[in-house]
Amino acid sequence: MRVVIANDHGAVALKRELASWLESHGHTVVNLGVDTEDRVDYPDKAVEACAEFLKGGYDFGILLCGTGIGISMAANKLAGIRCALIHDEYTARMAREHNDANFVAFGGRVTYAVPPTSILETFMNAKFEGGRHSVRVGKIDKLARI
Ligand code: RB5
Protein backbone atom coordinates (compact mmCIF):
# COMPACT_ATOMS: atom_id res chain seq x y z
CA MET A 1 0.00 0.00 0.00
CA ARG A 2 0.98 3.65 -0.40
CA VAL A 3 0.55 5.66 2.78
CA VAL A 4 0.99 9.34 3.59
CA ILE A 5 1.94 10.05 7.19
CA ALA A 6 2.31 13.27 9.16
CA ASN A 7 2.89 14.16 12.80
CA ASP A 8 3.64 17.02 15.12
CA HIS A 9 6.34 17.11 17.78
CA GLY A 10 4.17 15.07 20.16
CA ALA A 11 4.50 11.87 18.16
CA VAL A 12 7.93 11.65 16.55
CA ALA A 13 8.79 8.26 18.06
CA LEU A 14 5.43 6.65 17.28
CA LYS A 15 5.50 8.03 13.72
CA ARG A 16 8.92 6.43 13.24
CA GLU A 17 7.71 3.14 14.70
CA LEU A 18 4.68 2.97 12.40
CA ALA A 19 6.59 4.13 9.32
CA SER A 20 9.36 1.56 9.93
CA TRP A 21 6.82 -1.19 10.44
CA LEU A 22 5.03 -0.28 7.21
CA GLU A 23 8.26 -0.16 5.21
CA SER A 24 9.47 -3.46 6.66
CA HIS A 25 6.19 -4.98 5.45
CA GLY A 26 6.70 -3.74 1.89
CA HIS A 27 4.55 -0.62 1.96
CA THR A 28 5.53 2.81 0.66
CA VAL A 29 5.48 5.67 3.15
CA VAL A 30 5.53 9.36 2.26
CA ASN A 31 6.57 11.18 5.44
CA LEU A 32 5.34 14.76 5.74
CA GLY A 33 5.76 14.81 9.50
CA VAL A 34 8.45 16.33 11.66
CA ASP A 35 11.43 14.37 12.95
CA THR A 36 12.49 16.66 15.77
CA GLU A 37 10.88 17.84 19.00
CA ASP A 38 10.68 21.45 17.70
CA ARG A 39 7.10 22.63 18.11
CA VAL A 40 4.81 22.74 15.10
CA ASP A 41 1.05 23.25 14.88
CA TYR A 42 -0.83 20.02 14.26
CA PRO A 43 -3.53 21.62 12.03
CA ASP A 44 -0.78 22.55 9.56
CA LYS A 45 0.47 18.95 9.43
CA ALA A 46 -3.09 17.68 8.98
CA VAL A 47 -3.67 19.99 6.03
CA GLU A 48 -0.37 19.04 4.38
CA ALA A 49 -1.05 15.32 4.64
CA CYS A 50 -4.70 15.56 3.58
CA ALA A 51 -3.87 17.75 0.58
CA GLU A 52 -1.26 15.20 -0.48
CA PHE A 53 -3.73 12.33 -0.05
CA LEU A 54 -6.38 14.14 -2.10
CA LYS A 55 -3.99 14.38 -5.06
CA GLY A 56 -4.61 10.64 -5.39
CA GLY A 57 -2.47 7.52 -5.48
CA TYR A 58 -2.69 6.77 -1.76
CA ASP A 59 -4.48 3.90 -0.03
CA PHE A 60 -4.86 5.79 3.23
CA GLY A 61 -3.13 8.23 5.56
CA ILE A 62 -1.91 8.32 9.16
CA LEU A 63 -1.91 11.40 11.37
CA LEU A 64 -0.30 11.67 14.79
CA CYS A 65 -0.10 14.30 17.52
CA GLY A 66 0.23 13.98 21.28
CA THR A 67 -3.25 12.56 21.70
CA GLY A 68 -4.39 12.09 18.11
CA ILE A 69 -7.36 14.28 18.99
CA GLY A 70 -6.34 17.67 17.61
CA ILE A 71 -4.90 16.40 14.36
CA SER A 72 -7.94 14.21 13.64
CA MET A 73 -10.30 17.12 14.42
CA ALA A 74 -8.40 19.29 11.95
CA ALA A 75 -8.36 16.61 9.24
CA ASN A 76 -12.11 16.04 9.52
CA LYS A 77 -12.75 19.67 8.56
CA LEU A 78 -11.54 18.91 5.04
CA ALA A 79 -13.92 17.67 2.35
CA GLY A 80 -13.19 14.08 1.36
CA ILE A 81 -11.33 13.20 4.55
CA ARG A 82 -12.72 10.73 7.07
CA CYS A 83 -10.16 10.44 9.84
CA ALA A 84 -10.77 7.94 12.64
CA LEU A 85 -9.09 8.25 16.02
CA ILE A 86 -8.53 4.59 16.78
CA HIS A 87 -7.49 3.13 20.11
CA ASP A 88 -7.58 -0.63 19.76
CA GLU A 89 -8.24 -3.42 17.29
CA TYR A 90 -12.02 -3.07 17.58
CA THR A 91 -12.10 0.63 16.72
CA ALA A 92 -9.51 0.02 13.98
CA ARG A 93 -11.70 -2.62 12.33
CA MET A 94 -14.88 -0.60 12.68
CA ALA A 95 -13.20 2.51 11.26
CA ARG A 96 -12.80 0.62 7.99
CA GLU A 97 -15.82 -1.73 7.99
CA HIS A 98 -18.46 0.83 8.95
CA ASN A 99 -16.94 4.28 8.41
CA ASP A 100 -14.65 3.70 5.41
CA ALA A 101 -12.02 5.88 7.08
CA ASN A 102 -9.31 7.08 4.75
CA PHE A 103 -7.13 8.37 7.58
CA VAL A 104 -6.39 7.00 11.02
CA ALA A 105 -5.01 8.97 13.93
CA PHE A 106 -2.79 7.92 16.83
CA GLY A 107 -1.43 9.71 19.87
CA GLY A 108 2.27 9.67 20.58
CA ARG A 109 1.64 10.30 24.29
CA VAL A 110 -1.12 7.71 24.60
CA THR A 111 -0.56 4.36 26.32
CA TYR A 112 -2.13 1.69 24.12
CA ALA A 113 -3.19 -1.66 25.54
CA VAL A 114 -1.99 -3.39 22.37
CA PRO A 115 0.92 -2.39 20.14
CA PRO A 116 -0.04 0.44 17.76
CA THR A 117 1.41 -1.61 14.89
CA SER A 118 -1.22 -4.30 15.60
CA ILE A 119 -3.94 -1.66 15.65
CA LEU A 120 -2.68 -0.35 12.32
CA GLU A 121 -2.46 -3.84 10.83
CA THR A 122 -6.07 -4.55 11.85
CA PHE A 123 -7.20 -1.38 10.08
CA MET A 124 -5.25 -2.30 6.96
CA ASN A 125 -6.69 -5.81 6.82
CA ALA A 126 -10.30 -4.69 7.25
CA LYS A 127 -12.64 -3.99 4.33
CA PHE A 128 -15.51 -1.51 4.03
CA GLU A 129 -18.81 -3.39 4.24
CA GLY A 130 -20.75 -0.97 2.03
CA GLY A 131 -24.54 -1.43 2.00
CA ARG A 132 -26.28 0.59 4.70
CA HIS A 133 -22.91 2.00 5.73
CA SER A 134 -22.47 3.61 2.29
CA VAL A 135 -25.60 5.66 2.87
CA ARG A 136 -24.29 6.89 6.23
CA VAL A 137 -20.80 7.63 4.94
CA GLY A 138 -22.39 9.50 2.04
CA LYS A 139 -24.27 11.64 4.55
CA ILE A 140 -21.01 12.42 6.37
CA ASP A 141 -19.37 13.48 3.11
CA LYS A 142 -22.29 15.76 2.23
CA LEU A 143 -21.81 17.66 5.52
CA ALA A 144 -18.62 19.20 4.16
CA ARG A 145 -20.69 20.86 1.45
CA ILE A 146 -23.41 22.40 3.67
C1 RB5 B 1 0.99 19.52 21.43
O1 RB5 B 1 1.53 19.85 22.68
C2 RB5 B 1 -0.33 18.79 21.62
O2 RB5 B 1 -1.31 19.68 22.03
C3 RB5 B 1 -0.73 18.09 20.35
O3 RB5 B 1 0.26 17.19 19.99
C4 RB5 B 1 -2.01 17.28 20.39
O4 RB5 B 1 -2.02 16.39 21.47
C5 RB5 B 1 -3.27 18.03 20.27
O5 RB5 B 1 -4.37 17.46 20.18
Side-chain angles (χ1 to χ4, degrees), residues 8-10 42 65-67 69-70 109:
D8 76 357
H9 53 285
Y42 56 81
C65 63
T67 58
I69 296 171
R109 297 170 183 156

Short mmCIF file of all heavy atoms in Angstrom, two decimals, residues 8-10 42 65-67 69-70 109, ligand 1:
data_model
loop_
_atom_site.label_atom_id
_atom_site.label_comp_id
_atom_site.label_asym_id
_atom_site.label_seq_id
_atom_site.Cartn_x
_atom_site.Cartn_y
_atom_site.Cartn_z
N ASP A 8 3.02 15.86 14.48
CA ASP A 8 3.64 17.02 15.12
C ASP A 8 4.74 16.53 16.07
O ASP A 8 5.09 15.33 16.09
CB ASP A 8 2.59 17.92 15.80
CG ASP A 8 2.05 17.36 17.12
OD1 ASP A 8 2.43 16.24 17.52
OD2 ASP A 8 1.23 18.06 17.75
N HIS A 9 5.23 17.43 16.88
CA HIS A 9 6.34 17.11 17.78
C HIS A 9 5.93 16.15 18.90
O HIS A 9 6.78 15.62 19.59
CB HIS A 9 6.88 18.41 18.39
CG HIS A 9 5.81 19.23 19.04
ND1 HIS A 9 4.90 19.96 18.31
CD2 HIS A 9 5.46 19.40 20.34
CE1 HIS A 9 4.05 20.56 19.13
NE2 HIS A 9 4.37 20.23 20.37
N GLY A 10 4.62 15.95 19.09
CA GLY A 10 4.17 15.07 20.16
C GLY A 10 4.18 13.60 19.80
O GLY A 10 3.77 12.76 20.63
N TYR A 42 -0.28 21.23 14.88
CA TYR A 42 -0.83 20.02 14.26
C TYR A 42 -1.85 20.29 13.14
O TYR A 42 -1.92 19.51 12.19
CB TYR A 42 -1.41 19.07 15.33
CG TYR A 42 -2.46 19.68 16.21
CD1 TYR A 42 -3.77 19.79 15.80
CD2 TYR A 42 -2.13 20.16 17.47
CE1 TYR A 42 -4.73 20.38 16.61
CE2 TYR A 42 -3.08 20.74 18.29
CZ TYR A 42 -4.38 20.84 17.86
OH TYR A 42 -5.32 21.41 18.65
N CYS A 65 -0.52 13.19 16.64
CA CYS A 65 -0.10 14.30 17.52
C CYS A 65 0.01 13.70 18.92
O CYS A 65 0.06 12.47 19.06
CB CYS A 65 -1.04 15.48 17.42
SG CYS A 65 -2.74 15.17 17.95
N GLY A 66 0.05 14.53 19.94
CA GLY A 66 0.23 13.98 21.28
C GLY A 66 -0.87 13.00 21.67
O GLY A 66 -0.62 11.93 22.22
N THR A 67 -2.09 13.40 21.37
CA THR A 67 -3.25 12.56 21.70
C THR A 67 -3.89 11.92 20.48
O THR A 67 -4.68 10.98 20.62
CB THR A 67 -4.34 13.42 22.37
OG1 THR A 67 -4.68 14.48 21.45
CG2 THR A 67 -3.87 14.01 23.67
N ILE A 69 -6.06 13.59 19.01
CA ILE A 69 -7.36 14.28 18.99
C ILE A 69 -7.30 15.52 18.09
O ILE A 69 -8.10 15.66 17.15
CB ILE A 69 -7.78 14.69 20.42
CG1 ILE A 69 -8.00 13.45 21.29
CG2 ILE A 69 -9.05 15.54 20.37
CD1 ILE A 69 -8.22 13.77 22.78
N GLY A 70 -6.37 16.41 18.36
CA GLY A 70 -6.34 17.67 17.61
C GLY A 70 -6.13 17.46 16.12
O GLY A 70 -6.81 18.07 15.29
N ARG A 109 1.53 10.28 22.83
CA ARG A 109 1.64 10.30 24.29
C ARG A 109 0.57 9.41 24.93
O ARG A 109 0.36 9.48 26.14
CB ARG A 109 1.51 11.74 24.79
CG ARG A 109 2.63 12.65 24.29
CD ARG A 109 2.36 14.11 24.59
NE ARG A 109 3.41 14.96 24.03
CZ ARG A 109 3.24 16.24 23.73
NH1 ARG A 109 2.07 16.82 23.94
NH2 ARG A 109 4.23 16.94 23.20
C1 RB5 B 1 0.99 19.52 21.43
O1 RB5 B 1 1.53 19.85 22.68
C2 RB5 B 1 -0.33 18.79 21.62
O2 RB5 B 1 -1.31 19.68 22.03
C3 RB5 B 1 -0.73 18.09 20.35
O3 RB5 B 1 0.26 17.19 19.99
C4 RB5 B 1 -2.01 17.28 20.39
O4 RB5 B 1 -2.02 16.39 21.47
C5 RB5 B 1 -3.27 18.03 20.27
O5 RB5 B 1 -4.37 17.46 20.18
#
